Amino acid sequence: MQQQPGIEPPPGCPAHGKIPLYGPRFGSDPDGHYAHLRGLGPSAPVDIAPGVEVELVTSYDAALYILQNPASFVRDSRRWNALNEGRVPEDSPALPMLAYRPNALMSDGAAHARLRQAVTDSLASVNELQLVRQTQASADYLISRFSSERMGQAELMAEYAQPLPLLVFSDLFGCPPEIGDRVIAGITGLFSGSAGADQLVAEALNELIALKRRNPGDDLTTRLMQHSAQLSDEEMLHQLITLLSGGTTPLSAMIGTASALILGEEWQSGLPVEDAVTQVLWNYAPIANYAAHYPTHDVELGGRVVKANDPVLISFAAANTDPRLAEHREQLSAKAHLAFGAGPHACPAKDPAFVIAVTAVETLLNRLPDIEVRMPFKDLSWVPAPWSRSLVALPVRFTPRIVVPTAAQKAESPVAASAGQVTATPRPSMGGAPKPKTGLFSRFLAWTRGE
């Protein structure tokens, strides 16, 4: 790849060869990398992980064309040339993100339509008011922990933005305390690279599926299970994993970045939280680079030929900030961003995600009205990974306050209300008395019951 005149390579990127979209240099200046890539055309080859090359689309128009053209660009990663030819390292961090799973995200045609309908119909049944209350309860619990324990200081990413979606989803899925604890520990481990985390998540969700087969409830898992699509247990497992992994990390990023924006000196006082979340979706796309497509035939993108079955990834972060959009942004709908994708594979959970993010930030501001960020927004660091645009840390200070569950919160959660009635199949003991259930979800449910 030749460097074009007048375009400086981003820090640490070679002027020749593929650009690495990972590591500290990328994390320190993702926007600089995207600016450089735009100068190479609507798409360019990058390394998404060591030894893993993909074509990255940075143009808004090109991204929209691919997302809305499922006949020529399919999602089934079993087509992936390099993987089939043994050219992808077996321990590559790209494999958990790109390897095939039998879910709606990586299916096409009739298979995709069937799985997606089950997911969208189940999500549509979620009551928005209940979702707001579940989010407020989760937010209040987390605030109660760091407000009383940390003497007026906290790190919001680790203590608030990251665990909050996991609490909400565990409640929505109808997890009993012990299963919810393992789901949260497993999903957290997946994104931190902990060994055995994927097995922990699978085991916990398989127990949840078996439990809901025996004892259906008023929860998302049961509604997905009872859908007319008649999902098998394996299909149930992969839809739940997709909802968890695809929903929690982007939501954490949305909550963290929106909080940082609205607490920053640059934010105009009085603007609603919805504006901050919308700005995040436009300018700091939580899912930064993803949505792998595989051309069904050789295609030309801006003068470059991409071979059939070579992966083409969408840079939602770069497409949303495409300078060619600048003159039209004011005329575009606030929802014209691509942060939730577009076309037949657009995120089916975009409305619940927006509600959760707005509620989480609003609850934080209401409970801690004098909260402030301890450093300027421009000095905050980004996670040095290609998949998500998320802050590494968000240090804040505030006046400590005691937060206790309201009567409504104690009565609201169907899981909390039935926690002592419907339980998972006991797991084999390693000897001695059973260990107390002290995981995050167990402690949250106990708090909502005032224990």
Side-chain angles (χ1 to χ4, degrees):
M1 180 193 304
Q2 298 297 318
Q3 180 187 355
Q4 294 190 0
I7 298 176
E8 294 295 327
C13 288
H16 303 279
K18 298 180 295 295
I19 294 175
L21 230 64
Y22 56 88
R25 292 186 183 276
F26 171 72
S28 67
D29 186 22
D31 292 327
H33 285 67
Y34 299 140
H36 176 69
L37 288 167
R38 286 193 199 97
L40 305 175
S43 71
V46 301
D47 276 350
I48 204 75
V52 182
E53 179 183 336
V54 301
E55 188 79 7
L56 189 73
V57 178
T58 56
S59 158
Y60 181 94
D61 290 340
L64 193 59
Y65 170 75
I66 292 170
L67 291 166
Q68 294 180 334
N69 191 358
S72 296
F73 297 91
V74 298
R75 302 296 292 270
D76 189 337
S77 62
R78 289 173 294 186
R79 291 172 168 266
W80 188 359
N81 286 331
L83 182 64
N84 292 332
E85 296 164 6
R87 292 187 283 117
V88 177
E90 293 182 359
D91 60 350
S92 173
L95 282 177
M97 302 299 294
L98 300 180
Y100 175 77
R101 298 177 187 270
N103 57 28
L105 187 67
M106 295 181 175
S107 301
D108 301 291
H112 167 257
R114 171 177 165 271
L115 293 173
R116 181 180 174 86
Q117 195 65 51
V119 172
T120 54
D121 288 349
S122 301
L123 287 169
S125 68
V126 174
N127 181 279
E128 183 174 322
L129 181 58
Q130 181 186 357
L131 183 61
V132 168
R133 290 173 177 169
Q134 287 174 312
T135 304
Q136 288 173 336
S138 299
D140 281 344
Y141 170 66
L142 295 170
I143 294 169
S144 77
R145 295 180 71 199
F146 67 70
S147 179
S148 60
E149 297 173 3
R150 297 295 301 278
M151 302 300 291
Q153 294 189 16
E155 196 287 278
L156 279 190
M157 291 306 298
E159 297 180 77
Y160 189 70
Q162 291 168 358
L164 191 150
L166 288 167
L167 287 176
V168 174
F169 273 66
S170 294
D171 212 359
L172 281 174
F173 284 5
C175 293
E178 193 267 346
I179 289 182
D181 288 342
R182 285 187 288 137
V183 166
I184 289 176
I187 290 292
T188 302
L190 279 177
F191 289 99
S192 63
S194 300
D198 52 349
Q199 182 178 353
L200 179 61
V201 173
E203 289 178 351
L205 290 177
N206 276 324
E207 285 186 31
L208 178 64
I209 292 165
L211 173 65
K212 296 303 176 181
R213 294 283 187 200
R214 298 192 306 269
N215 300 294
D218 183 18
D219 52 66
L220 190 59
T221 305
T222 299
R223 289 192 285 272
L224 188 61
M225 185 177 291
Q226 294 178 342
H227 191 271
S228 59
Q230 297 184 327
L231 303 187
S232 67
D233 284 359
E234 182 184 18
E235 290 173 330
M236 281 291 303
L237 172 65
H238 287 286
Q239 307 326 301
L240 292 177
I241 288 176
T242 302
L243 285 169
L244 274 169
S245 58
T248 54
T249 298
L251 257 177
S252 297
M254 288 168 65
I255 294 167
T257 309
S259 298
L261 280 176
I262 210 165
L263 295 175
E265 295 179 357
E266 301 84 358
W267 188 255
Q268 188 175 342
S269 178
L271 289 179
V273 171
E274 287 88 344
D275 286 4
V277 175
T278 298
Q279 188 173 134
V280 169
L281 295 172
W282 271 106
N283 298 329
Y284 309 96
I287 301 177
N289 306 286
Y290 198 48
H293 292 73
Y294 301 85
T296 57
H297 52 83
D298 292 358
V299 297
E300 183 177 328
L301 294 174
R304 284 181 47 77
V305 175
V306 180
K307 293 182 179 179
N309 299 325
D310 279 352
V312 178
L313 266 63
I314 306 297
S315 178
F316 300 107
N320 280 347
T321 55
D322 187 340
R324 295 187 180 186
L325 284 181
E327 60 188 71
H328 305 297
R329 277 279 292 268
E330 292 184 1
Q331 285 75 44
L332 290 173
S333 162
K335 297 181 179 180
H337 58 76
L338 299 180
F340 292 122
H345 281 87
C347 176
K350 59 187 177 193
D351 292 335
F354 194 86
V355 169
I356 292 171
V358 169
T359 303
V361 179
E362 287 180 341
T363 305
L364 179 70
L365 299 176
N366 290 335
R367 302 297 184 267
L368 303 173
D370 63 350
I371 189 170
E372 59 184 14
V373 181
R374 293 168 55 194
M375 65 175 60
F377 184 84
K378 63 181 179 61
D379 294 335
L380 296 171
S381 299
W382 301 99
V383 172
W387 315 108
S388 178
R389 181 72 179 266
S390 182
L391 292 170
V392 173
L394 182 56
V396 296
R397 54 177 167 252
F398 50 87
T399 301
R401 286 172 172 79
I402 301 299
V403 180
V404 296
T406 66
Q409 287 172 346
K410 292 179 182 180
E412 183 64 29
S413 171
V415 177
S418 62
Q421 303 170 21
V422 179
T423 58
T425 301
R427 304 179 72 212
S429 172
M430 298 303 291
K435 292 184 179 180
K437 298 175 181 178
T438 57
L440 178 62
F441 194 56
S442 289
R443 297 195 299 271
F444 163 65
L445 293 178
W447 182 83
T448 61
R449 296 192 299 269
E451 298 176 2

